[in-house]
Every structure is written in structure tokens, then in C-alpha cells.
Amino acid sequence: MTVTQPQMNIVVTGAAGRMGRALIRALTETPGARLSAALERDGSPFIGQDAGTLAGLEPNGISVSTDAVAAIAAADGILDFTAPAATVSFAELAAQARAVHIVGTTGLATEHMAALKAAARHTVIMQSGNMSLGVNLLAALVEQAAKALDASGWDIEIAEMHHRHKVDAPSGTALLLGEAAARGRGIALEEHAVRVRDGHTGARPEGAIGFATLRGGSVVGEHSVLFAGEGETVELSHRAIDRAIFARGAVHAALWGKGCKPGFYTMRDVLGL
């Protein structure tokens, strides 16, 4: 006798955004996952529209709503690529509903992360600056390289480029890579990051991790980590050509999180890196 596994009911927040629409499409394509609600902010012109049509698919009968409380209370998981304040509110609702909360929101400050980790005492929260398998593999390689290449002889620079609509800088992915480099060196990123250079800056501080941010066009995401030594360089890079990779990774993480104990996780846990 064949036993049919129950589908995981998943809410997409920020449903009308680029990532929200990609998440709806990814849910439609993934066995074992089902879109149960699509949320947007109060005042959005997309309220009441069919979520399937919004994502460029056939109508699915799910109207875009603002009722986060009801939607999350009835769900098994949430896919959240919104804004820091909204993400904290969703985390509180996820904790109450014991729903898996997948967080791809960038620009999270220390206080936001503290709130997510507090909510993770009651439910599974998986947060990552990038849900791509390739990027998370890149981060693991960056950590190994930073550990192997001594800070006294090798400088680290992280360059990233995104589309003109990107609102935060450096990107969450660039910071993820910076954290990986800092772990490899056994240092705190916030104490060694150099995000802005302008004017007469003087010599580069030993052990600094530099960031260069580019914005323009429709670039989905390009990231390079450069290890510059005396007479040689090593460059590790990743180029995203379709944001569907992030959506598929987020859905995969939600399905993975359904069987986990409450706690705070990262994409490294999901991928077993």
C-alpha cells in the first residue's frame, strides 16, 4: 500500500515582490510543498489578486492578503524575504504557531538577530543571507582559504554587484562571505570590516576584510572573494543568473526544517556543510 505524505502548507510573505513571485513558482514546482497563503503589506495594490496569476502561473484560488495572524496560525512554514522589522513580527507569529520560519531578509541588525534567536526557542528558524547551494559552498571554501592563508601575507577583499533596485549594501551574501572569512581567521567581522574607502585613506590595515559594492542594471547577483598576496592572487566567485535558485533553496530549507527541533539554523545546517 502506498502511503501519501502530507504536504507542508507554506505562507509566502512579500508575495508581490520579485522574490515573493519566485517563491510562489518554486512552491508550485516542489513535491511535498503547498502554497497556503500569500501575504502583502497594508495598502499594497496587489491585495485581493490571485497569487498564481501574480506569479505568472495559472490561477490557484489563493488571494493575496494582509492577514498574517490567520495565515501563519494555519501554516506549517513561512518563506520570508521582506524587511527587518516585518521579519521580527513574522518570527513572533511563527513562534506562537510553531511554524518553520525561513528568513532570507537582508539588512538584519544585531537587535533583529537577537529577536530571531529568541523566537527560535519555540520553533525552527533558518536564516541565511543567501539560500543558494553554490553560494553556501563558496562560503565554506572562503572559510578554509582564510584559515590557510595567513593574514600577515594575504589581504581579503569582497566584491559584489546587484541590480539597481537593491536597497541594502553590502548585500546579505557579501556579509555572509565576510563572516566566513572572519571565522577562518578567528576574528570578529565587525571589528575588521572596511566598507567605505574615500579620500586619503592611508595604508591598508593588516587583517582588514574589505567590501566593494556595485549596483546597476538587472544583475541578479555576482560575488567574488579575492585573496591578494605578494606576487599572487586567489579568487573565489559565484554568479547567479536566475533568482529561482534562491527560491528553490528556501523551499528546500522549509521542508528540511519541518523535521527539526526548535532552534536557530543556517543554510550550512540544511546542506550539511
Side-chain angles (χ1 to χ4, degrees):
M1 181 178 66
T2 301
V3 178
T4 302
Q5 295 295 325
Q7 288 190 314
M8 185 175 184
N9 292 316
I10 300 177
V11 175
V12 170
T13 65
R18 293 183 179 189
M19 271 307 303
R21 299 180 196 212
L23 290 166
I24 292 170
R25 291 193 291 271
L27 283 171
T28 303
E29 298 166 357
T30 305
R34 172 185 174 272
L35 177 70
S36 60
L39 297 175
E40 260 298 333
R41 67 187 186 282
D42 290 336
S44 168
F46 300 99
I47 301 301
Q49 290 194 22
D50 184 273
T53 303
L54 185 63
L57 305 171
E58 293 295 319
N60 59 19
I62 297 174
S63 297
V64 177
S65 166
T66 62
D67 193 351
V69 175
I72 294 172
D76 302 309
I78 314 165
L79 302 179
D80 177 12
F81 289 69
T82 54
T87 290
V88 170
S89 297
F90 292 137
E92 294 171 355
L93 295 174
Q96 294 170 17
R98 303 299 190 267
V100 175
H101 188 186
I102 305 302
V103 179
T105 301
T106 57
L108 297 168
T110 302
E111 62 271 22
H112 302 129
M113 294 298 292
L116 293 182
K117 290 178 180 178
R121 292 197 293 264
H122 307 286
T123 193
V124 172
I125 292 187
M126 198 293 294
Q127 182 274 330
S128 178
N130 192 298
M131 302 288 176
S132 155
L133 170 60
V135 162
N136 283 277
L137 176 59
L138 173 62
L141 295 173
V142 167
E143 182 175 345
Q144 292 180 18
K147 184 177 181 179
L149 302 175
D150 187 80
S152 63
W154 293 84
D155 300 320
I156 301 176
E157 291 288 316
I158 299 170
E160 54 111 339
M161 182 166 184
H162 284 86
H163 53 85
R164 63 168 63 95
H165 303 290
K166 184 76 171 168
V167 298
D168 58 316
S171 68
T173 303
L175 293 173
L176 181 152
L177 295 172
E179 290 287 358
R183 277 196 307 274
R185 289 274 167 91
I187 59 176
L189 178 61
E190 60 269 21
E191 296 174 4
H192 294 81
V194 177
R195 300 191 181 193
V196 177
R197 293 188 178 102
D198 185 36
H200 189 73
T201 61
R204 188 184 197 278
E206 183 176 298
I209 297 176
F211 290 86
T213 300
L214 303 174
R215 295 287 180 266
S218 59
V219 176
V220 175
E222 298 178 1
H223 298 84
S224 295
V225 182
L226 181 71
F227 293 86
E230 291 294 332
E232 60 181 331
T233 60
V234 175
E235 185 173 356
L236 302 172
S237 62
H238 177 272
R239 176 177 295 175
I241 58 175
D242 187 346
R243 59 177 38 86
I245 63 174
F246 312 128
R248 289 194 294 266
V251 175
H252 175 76
L255 293 170
W256 174 88
K258 188 177 181 182
C260 294
K261 295 179 180 179
F264 186 85
Y265 300 90
T266 69
M267 203 64 180
R268 290 170 65 92
D269 298 306
V270 177
L271 299 174
L273 294 174

